[in-house]
Amino acid sequence: MPRIILSGVLAAAMLVSSFTPVCAQESASIQALATVVSSITIRGTNNLNFQSVTPGIPKFVDKAMVGFAGEWQVTGIASSEVTLSFELPTELTDQVSGGVMSISFSGSDASYDDGSGGGQTAPAGVVDPNGPSTANIGSGGTLDIWIGGTVQPSVSQTGGSYGADITLTVAYTGS
Amino acid sequence: MPLKVFIAVCMLSGISLSAQDMGIASASIEAQATVVPSIGFTSDSDSPSHADFLVWGRKSSNLQVSIVKSTGGVSEEEPVFLASLFVPYATFSDPRVRREISHLQADGSSAVVVTVVDIAD
């Protein structure tokens, strides 16, 4: 009986000795990378001004009409792609009388220039303001955008000053 | 511990908002228009001395002029006639209107109402 116990003890000791801790370990690291883009800014620099309109007579302002077409200036990362999203009104409102007047924008009523074109009168490209579109910020880090439109005063349009906001949102696409 | 979790959530939220702000921006401009009434009178036409009045409207428009005169509570409508506006702003001096206005009584017992409508070409 003692011999059996001794044999068991020895066997256990051998078994334990076979599990010698492994001292050689390897490790590797990876990096979590992220590029924080610099801020993009936009500012409206000119209102879309139809000036005086006559009841019953539609009036069109072209996007190339300097000083009358709406204008924004965007600054951001050079050569990066951005989306252009317009929020367009369907009518202008006279705050005094409460009257409204229809306004519309065609598929070629907006344009942009990234510095590769000739400015407002000869822009680099034309975009449809009715849907999201993309453009690239120029190599100089700027992008100019213009918009025209048409107002349709009714024959019984009440006289007064009409207005509505046009909002342009720009965002990096990552491209 | 809950306070620490709350602070951590707030900090993460702040980072997220900051990153979003840096990649998107928007700005508004205003579409503006001034509607000029198709017809207007510069002065009160209830005096014979103001038979001429300024009319504004679209250039080369055709106008339909109607005159309603009333004397002693009795109204009488003159036949409608047409006129043309050759410039957006013009002094309107039609002999028919002038004639009716000249018949106005100084005591206010008579009146002339002139209505001018821009009609289609």
Side-chain angles (χ1 to χ4, degrees), chain A residues 20-156:
Chain A
T20 303
V22 177
C23 295
Q25 292 185 340
E26 294 183 1
S27 63
S29 298
I30 61 171
Q31 289 182 309
L33 301 174
T35 301
V36 178
V37 298
S38 61
S39 63
I40 187 171
T41 63
I42 182 172
R43 63 190 183 99
T45 51
N46 199 68
N47 289 323
L48 173 55
N49 190 355
F50 291 91
Q51 295 187 296
S52 296
V53 300
T54 303
I57 310 298
K59 188 167 187 179
F60 168 67
V61 169
D62 189 81
K63 56 187 176 296
M65 294 177 67
V66 179
F68 297 98
E71 181 183 62
W72 292 268
Q73 290 184 341
V74 178
T75 57
I77 301 173
S79 304
S80 60
E81 187 182 67
V82 294
T83 58
L84 308 175
S85 301
F86 295 86
E87 289 182 41
L88 303 174
T90 56
E91 56 190 22
L92 308 185
T93 303
D94 178 7
Q95 297 298 330
V96 176
S97 67
V100 295
M101 176 169 54
S102 296
I103 183 172
S104 61
F105 301 89
S106 75
S108 59
D109 266 345
S111 62
Y112 66 90
D113 194 12
D114 54 7
S116 64
Q120 185 171 0
T121 56
V126 174
V127 294
D128 182 356
N130 297 290
S133 54
T134 59
N136 284 76
I137 294 177
S139 58
T142 62
L143 178 67
D144 294 327
I145 297 139
W146 298 278
I147 189 170
T150 304
V151 289
Q152 293 106 4
S154 66
V155 291
S156 59

Side-chain angles (χ1 to χ4, degrees), chain A residues 13-25:
Chain A
M14 292 175 66
L15 185 62
V16 169
S17 65
S18 68
F19 288 104
T20 303
V22 177
C23 295
Q25 292 185 340

Side-chain angles (χ1 to χ4, degrees), chain B residues 53-113:
Chain B
F53 46 87
L54 186 69
V55 174
W56 59 84
R58 63 189 179 97
K59 184 180 179 181
S60 303
S61 61
N62 293 313
L63 307 177
Q64 176 180 283
V65 182
S66 60
I67 303 171
V68 176
K69 58 181 180 181
S70 61
T71 303
V74 179
S75 296
E76 181 181 355
E77 187 170 350
E78 294 287 309
V80 172
F81 61 93
L82 301 178
S84 294
L85 192 63
F86 298 104
V87 292
Y89 293 83
T91 298
F92 189 86
S93 180
D94 188 273
R96 284 157 289 199
V97 177
R98 177 181 290 274
R99 181 192 64 209
E100 298 303 333
I101 290 178
S102 67
H103 290 167
L104 287 171
Q105 301 300 313
D107 60 2
S109 61
S110 61
V112 174
V113 177

